[in-house]
Each structure stands twice: as structure tokens, then as C-alpha cells.
């Protein structure tokens, strides 16, 4: 596929392509269900932070064991959540048993994916039992700060500090989820890829596992889109495809900058081959 120059996200464009609503009672019912499951997620998070993790912390004193156990627990909770939102017909997802088994058995891999919606990381965390992800440093000062600090990696201003934490997590056998675009994609496009994922994979000598996220248009889940918007005709559909793993041996002979550049290009091309631009 010929490379395509992608413009940066345009929130106005995202708002302009919403289809016209004809059945308003049904539309408002869809909006209500969406807001309900989002509220349910917030309440569930509060219960986990206030009640569950303090008990786990008392039971598991070792920091590494607590981190691994916490990842597994969060994955199981999110697996319940994605089945719940499927049951109430907000979302539906498809992943083959073979692909799910591959994700369940991953160890020490950098997981990359395109990023069309707000729920992408929730699905991947549900599929991968031991996965780290990079979160905003500001979350450490929020009401979920204790959990974030104990379980996940913050995007410190100093990239080297963050990189060292990521490398340590990968070398300990955990996996790391990174969206190379750095933010959610515009509709039917991908942003330019940043080199952070490649730099971390090279520093840790970790294989890269790409996942392509397909399905329909995620109205109200994209960057800059109002949260009360939903698809007026159907639920959100997610289709997950685990692509061929990228081994990094061939990049290691190049200098750090050149290796990161080539690996980033290959990551983008791997995902782009599965992307149907409209």
C-alpha cells in the first residue's frame, strides 16, 4: 500500500459526519444506555479503589506480586465489563479463540494498536491478563492515584524515566500497551506514529505484537466528539485481529535513531495494511 499522509485530528470533521437521526425516542434510549454503562464503570472503579485494592494490598505485601495480581484482577473485571456492555447492546466485539489465546499467553511484548475509540484500551486490557499501560501523570494526583501508581506507568515529562520503567516491566515478563498515534484517530484515518513505542521495544529487546481494531464507526467515542452522541442505527462494533509479531533483531544492528525510525515505519505499515480508508 502506498503511504498516505494523514492530517491531524479535526474535531469539527468528526462532528460533521454524524448521520441524521430519524427515530428520536430510540436514539435517546441508546444515549441513556451508553451513559448508564459509563456511570456503572465509574462506580465500579470507585469500589475497586476504595474496597478491593486496600484488602489486596494487605494480603500481598510484595510489590511485584501485587502488581502482577492487580493486573490480572483488573483484566478479569474489565472482561466482565465488556460482556456487560455487549449484553445491554451498547457494543459487540469479535475476536477468534486463537487470537484470544495468543493474547492470553503473551509475555514481555510491546502491544501496539490503532486507536479509533475511547474503549480500545479497556478491551485490550480485558484480553491480556498481565498488561501495563502508560497513563497521564496527572492521574497520580487524582482519587485513583494509589492504584495508578502501584499498577501502571505514568507519562513523566522525562522520557528516560518513563522508558526505564517500561523496560523494567517488560523484562519482568509483563506486557506493555502503547498506541503509537498518541491520541485517538480521526474517523477512517490514522495519525502520524510517534517513535516512543519503537524506542521502548528496542531498549527492552522486546517483540512487538500489533493488534488491528476494526468494526464500524464509533460515533461519540472518538477524539473531540460529544459523549452523548451514539450511532443511531446500530451498536458499536469492534473486531480485533492479532497480526504477525514484529521481531526486532533486524533493527538492532542500526543506530538507535535509525532503528527507531525503521521500526516505527514497519509498525505503521503493518497496521495500515488492514485499514480500509474511505
Amino acid at each position: 500500500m502506498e503511504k498516505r499522509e494523514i492530517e491531524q485530528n479535526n474535531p469539527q470533521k468528526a462532528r460533521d459526519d454524524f448521520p441524521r437521526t430519524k427515530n428520536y425516542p430510540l436514539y435517546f434510549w441508546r444515549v441513556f444506555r451508553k451513559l448508564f454503562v459509563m456511570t456503572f464503570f465509574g462506580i465500579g472503579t470507585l469500589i475497586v479503589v476504595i474496597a478491593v485494592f486496600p484488602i489486596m494490598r494487605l494480603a500481598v505485601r510484595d510489590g511485584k506480586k501485587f502488581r502482577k495480581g492487580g493486573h490480572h484482577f483488573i483484566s478479569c473485571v474489565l472482561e466482565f465489563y465488556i460482556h456487560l456492555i455487549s449484553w445491554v447492546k451498547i457494543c459487540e466485539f469479535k475476536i477468534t479463540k486463537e487470537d484470544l489465546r495468543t493474547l492470553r499467553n503473551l509475555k514481555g511484548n510491546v502491544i501496539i494498536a490503532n486507536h479509533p475509540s475511547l474503549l480500545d484500551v479497556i478491551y485490550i486490557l480485558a484480553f491480556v491478563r498481565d498488561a501495563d499501560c502508560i497513563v497521564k501523570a496527572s492521574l497520580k494526583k487524582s482519587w485513583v492515584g494509589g492504584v495508578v501508581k502501584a499498577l501502571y506507568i505514568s507519562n513523566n515529562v522525562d522520557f528516560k524515566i518513563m522508558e526505564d520503567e517500561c523496560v523494567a516491566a517488560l523484562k519482568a515478563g509483563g506486557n506493555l500497551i502503547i498506541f503509537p498515534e498518541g491520541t485517538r484517530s480521526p474517523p477512517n484515518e490514522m495519525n502520524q506514529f510517534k517513535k516512543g513505542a519503537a524506542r521502548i521495544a528496542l531498549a527492552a529487546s522486546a517483540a512487538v505484537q500489533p493488534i488491528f481494531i476494526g468494526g464500524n464507526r464509533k460515533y461519540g467515542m472518538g477524539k473531540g466528539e460529544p459523549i452523548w452522541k451514539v450511532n443511531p442505527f446500530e451498536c458499536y462494533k469492534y473486531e480485533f485481529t492479532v497480526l504477525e509479531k514484529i521481531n526486532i533483531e533486524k533493527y538492532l544492528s542500526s543506530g538507535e535513531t535509525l532503528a527507531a525510525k525503521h521500526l516505527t515505519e514497519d509498525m505503521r505499515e503493518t497496521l495500515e495494511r488492514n485499514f480500509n480508508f474511505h
Side-chain angles (χ1 to χ4, degrees):
M1 177 185 293
E2 184 179 351
K3 287 186 181 180
R4 177 178 178 176
E5 192 71 22
I6 305 299
E7 297 179 356
Q8 290 299 311
N9 192 4
N10 185 340
Q12 184 60 45
K13 175 183 176 182
R15 288 193 290 269
D16 289 345
D17 79 334
F18 285 118
R20 184 182 297 276
T21 301
K22 296 181 180 179
N23 187 334
Y24 280 95
L26 179 59
Y27 179 80
F28 290 136
W29 173 237
R30 291 179 185 273
V31 172
F32 172 78
R33 284 183 294 162
K34 178 181 178 182
L35 295 178
F36 167 77
V37 296
M38 294 181 72
T39 302
F40 182 88
F41 181 84
I43 294 172
T45 302
L46 184 63
I47 292 171
V48 168
V49 171
I50 294 177
V52 178
F53 273 105
I55 296 173
M56 288 182 63
R57 198 59 163 153
L58 289 173
V60 184
R61 295 289 186 175
D62 183 84
K64 291 182 179 179
K65 290 182 179 179
F66 174 77
R67 188 184 186 96
K68 190 176 183 67
H71 287 165
H72 189 93
F73 176 77
I74 291 293
S75 179
C76 292
V77 169
L78 292 179
E79 185 176 9
F80 167 78
Y81 182 73
I82 64 175
H83 285 290
L84 170 68
I85 59 179
S86 294
W87 181 67
V88 298
K89 305 298 183 183
I90 292 298
C91 302
E92 64 181 43
F93 68 94
K94 292 182 180 179
I95 183 171
T96 66
K97 290 182 179 180
E98 182 180 353
D99 281 354
L100 182 59
R101 191 180 306 114
T102 296
L103 296 180
R104 286 278 197 262
N105 294 326
L106 283 181
K107 289 186 178 180
N109 282 207
V110 173
I111 301 168
I112 64 163
N114 56 310
H115 197 7
S117 83
L118 191 65
L119 295 180
D120 304 333
V121 69
I122 289 178
Y123 277 103
I124 297 176
L125 283 170
F127 298 148
V128 183
R129 287 297 187 234
D130 187 6
D132 252 304
C133 62
I134 299 172
V135 300
K136 292 181 180 179
S138 59
L139 285 177
K140 281 190 173 183
K141 299 178 181 179
S142 70
W143 59 278
V144 295
V147 174
V148 169
K149 186 176 180 180
L151 298 183
Y152 300 110
I153 299 167
S154 65
N155 60 343
N156 297 287
V157 176
D158 188 337
F159 179 82
K160 181 59 179 173
I161 295 175
M162 183 185 74
E163 182 185 66
D164 289 344
E165 291 184 31
C166 292
V167 169
L170 289 164
K171 289 187 177 297
N175 302 288
L176 179 65
I177 302 168
I178 302 178
F179 297 102
E181 294 172 82
T183 187
R184 279 169 280 170
S185 315
N188 301 313
E189 296 180 0
M190 284 196 293
N191 294 304
Q192 293 296 326
F193 275 30
K194 298 181 179 181
K195 296 177 183 176
R199 289 175 60 183
I200 291 169
L202 291 165
S205 298
V208 176
Q209 177 60 73
I211 302 174
F212 181 74
I213 304 173
N216 62 0
R217 170 77 165 84
K218 312 299 189 295
Y219 296 103
M221 289 289 190
K223 186 75 170 179
E225 295 179 351
I227 201 66
W228 58 87
K229 288 287 188 179
V230 296
N231 190 319
F233 308 117
E234 59 184 353
C235 68
Y236 299 116
K237 295 181 179 179
Y238 288 82
E239 296 179 3
F240 296 88
T241 305
V242 176
L243 306 175
E244 185 177 355
K245 192 174 293 188
I246 302 174
N247 292 310
I248 64 167
E249 283 77 8
K250 67 177 182 179
Y251 306 98
L252 297 178
S253 58
S254 304
E256 181 179 342
T257 301
L258 194 59
K261 178 178 182 292
H262 289 162
L263 179 53
T264 301
E265 290 173 350
D266 286 353
M267 289 192 300
R268 181 183 176 87
E269 289 176 1
T270 298
L271 291 173
E272 202 173 53
R273 281 196 294 270
N274 292 269
F275 207 109
N276 294 318
F277 291 109
H278 301 295

